[in-house]
Amino acid sequence: MSVSRRSFLQGAAAAAAGTLVAGTSEGMARTKAPGTAIDRERRRSPGGPVVVASGNGLPATAKAAEMILAGRDPLDAVVAGVNIVELDPDDHSVGYGGLPNEDGVVQLDSCVMHGPTHNAGAVAALQNIKTPSRVAQLVMERTDHVLIVGEGALRFAKAHGFREENLLTDAARRQWLKWKEARRGGDWLSPAGAEVEGDDQASASHDVMRGPGGAEFTYGTINCCGLDTSGDLAGVTTTSGLSYKIPGRVGDSPIIGAGLYVDNDVGAAGATGRGEAAILNCGSYTIVELMRQGRTPTEACLELLRRVVAHNVDPRLRRPNGEPDFGLIFYAVRKDGLYGSASIRSGRQFAVNSEGRNRLEDCAYLFEGQHE
Ligand code: GLY
């Protein structure tokens, strides 16, 4: 391991000096002496798996931890975990049932990264395949490339036996119609007397907001990173991306270093939320590098978010008080088992499986209030 115990403890001291709220196990330890968090976490996870995911990832963390304990590679484990969410029609941020682009077509992005081989695979703007993360894993394992997009990604998936399927569920189609009908000056009209707000089949994703006409709107995604009992790491990120996006728009989720990064000597990190901000700040790569320098996972995520805020100078993306007018959350797990997550705004949770327990924990955050 290239990060010494001493530098980890220095990182813990820096975290303890932080002023921001952290509801994670790491954050709760901030009231204790510097170093306590690290020592306690090491005692609590003596070689057991640690799996961290976005708030919609509880089934994924449970599945991945179970597979790691059964001796499976951590990449197979986290991909099997997120497959559950990709196949869930009620999660409108990922895979089957994801919200479509502006033409009503579901286009999916995903990437995987494997710590022991420092290899990765990704697909972007992939249509008609329910589990893009599995295609991304095949790009890693069965080509000497990292990223395949669009029609080429679909042909590659079909060559490996994936079946083309319609990914647009009725619920997602109704949200897309609401969005089209709410556009000012457009030709698409809501039925007379239609309800504007809400929908009785709301998405299961925690990242869903309400846009024009009450249509669901999301940058939602699932990220899942796992540490196995040998200290090996892997991660996956998968998404239907920004709702009603320009066809062909690609966010951070298939971009290694933005929506996901793994360094087997240090740790793993991933993102959900506004992908453009994660790309512009090399988010996941930078968090891993901050952990290499001794930051705790939570402090590394918070530091990256502070950079996002400082770089966000476009008035169209700022509130009158200068705060970003979008959501972004990072998740990280370090090679010693310490984990954390931080969000621009309060009230967000992330999924964790460690010490045999699967649960949601509160994300640390920069600003009070939701991003709706
Ligand atoms: N983070 C997902 C996206 O922006 O596409």
Side-chain angles (χ1 to χ4, degrees):
M1 187 167 78
S2 67
V3 183
S4 70
R5 175 181 162 80
R6 185 179 173 161
S7 61
F8 272 163
L9 293 179
Q10 285 167 345
T19 53
L20 297 161
V21 176
T24 64
S25 57
E26 179 190 326
M28 286 185 285
R30 285 184 187 189
T31 53
K32 300 177 192 286
T36 306
I38 305 297
D39 293 340
R40 188 182 66 165
E41 196 71 22
R42 281 183 167 168
R43 280 199 301 274
R44 287 170 56 197
S45 301
V50 178
V51 186
V52 171
S54 41
N56 53 347
L58 270 181
T61 49
K63 177 74 179 176
E66 179 194 310
M67 286 179 63
I68 289 172
L69 278 172
R72 296 290 298 274
D73 185 278
L75 183 58
D76 292 336
V78 294
V79 169
V82 301
N83 286 166
I84 298 169
V85 184
E86 288 176 321
L87 294 170
D88 178 357
D90 294 331
D91 191 313
H92 294 177
S93 67
V94 179
Y96 177 55
L99 292 173
N101 66 20
E102 69 180 10
D103 292 342
V105 176
V106 180
Q107 288 188 323
L108 305 176
D109 303 333
S110 179
C111 72
V112 301
M113 192 157 184
H114 185 235
T117 53
H118 201 74
N119 203 356
V123 289
L126 174 63
Q127 295 177 193
N128 297 350
I129 303 292
K130 282 181 170 174
T131 51
S133 63
R134 289 180 54 214
V135 185
Q137 187 175 359
L138 279 171
V139 170
M140 185 190 95
E141 292 173 351
R142 304 290 292 273
T143 78
D144 65 351
H145 306 308
V146 171
L147 174 60
I148 303 181
V149 308
E151 179 60 29
L154 176 59
R155 275 197 245 154
F156 173 79
K158 287 165 68 177
H160 283 276
F162 286 81
R163 265 191 310 128
E164 281 197 76
E165 294 174 88
N166 177 19
L167 306 185
L168 187 66
T169 59
D170 269 353
R173 183 185 52 75
R174 281 198 300 274
Q175 297 301 326
W176 168 72
L177 269 181
K178 271 191 190 179
W179 171 80
K180 277 182 90 73
E181 290 165 357
R183 291 207 291 183
R184 211 167 279 146
D187 296 330
W188 293 62
L189 303 178
S190 306
E195 288 270 326
V196 172
E197 291 295 331
D199 189 276
D200 51 0
Q201 294 191 43
S203 171
S205 170
H206 296 224
D207 271 331
V208 170
M209 299 159 270
R210 290 282 164 192
E216 286 185 8
F217 175 88
T218 182
Y219 283 100
T221 299
I222 180 166
N223 164 253
C224 185
C225 292
L227 172 72
D228 75 7
T229 51
S230 311
D232 285 330
L233 291 147
V236 57
T237 303
T238 178
T239 189
S240 51
L242 172 66
S243 319
Y244 324 123
K245 58 195 172 188
I246 295 172
R249 176 267 186 190
V250 170
D252 61 319
S253 299
I255 307 296
I256 296 297
L260 179 70
Y261 192 69
V262 179
D263 185 318
N264 213 44
D265 288 338
V266 179
T272 63
R274 183 177 158 78
E276 284 74 7
I279 294 171
L280 290 170
N281 293 277
C282 296
S284 296
Y285 174 79
T286 305
I287 286 168
V288 172
E289 289 306 302
L290 289 166
M291 292 194 292
R292 190 194 304 278
Q293 292 164 18
R295 305 290 183 99
T296 67
T298 304
E299 185 53 30
C301 294
L302 284 167
E303 171 58 23
L304 193 281
L305 290 174
R306 288 184 202 108
R307 294 184 191 186
V308 169
V309 173
H311 290 149
N312 184 45
V313 295
D314 185 338
R316 292 168 299 184
L317 296 171
R318 286 160 70 103
R319 294 181 175 183
N321 66 3
E323 293 175 8
D325 202 14
F326 54 82
L328 183 62
I329 308 179
F330 285 98
Y331 315 87
V333 58
R334 209 169 59 179
K335 192 167 175 81
D336 64 352
L338 196 65
Y339 59 85
S341 170
S343 164
I344 289 184
R345 300 215 156 264
S346 62
R348 310 313 300 265
Q349 292 192 304
F350 67 110
V352 184
N353 191 300
S354 68
E355 308 158 85
R357 285 192 305 120
N358 204 48
R359 73 262 181 197
L360 290 173
E361 293 194 10
D362 294 339
C363 302
Y365 59 89
L366 293 182
F367 303 112
E368 293 281 353
Q370 295 291 317
H371 52 75
E372 283 88 333

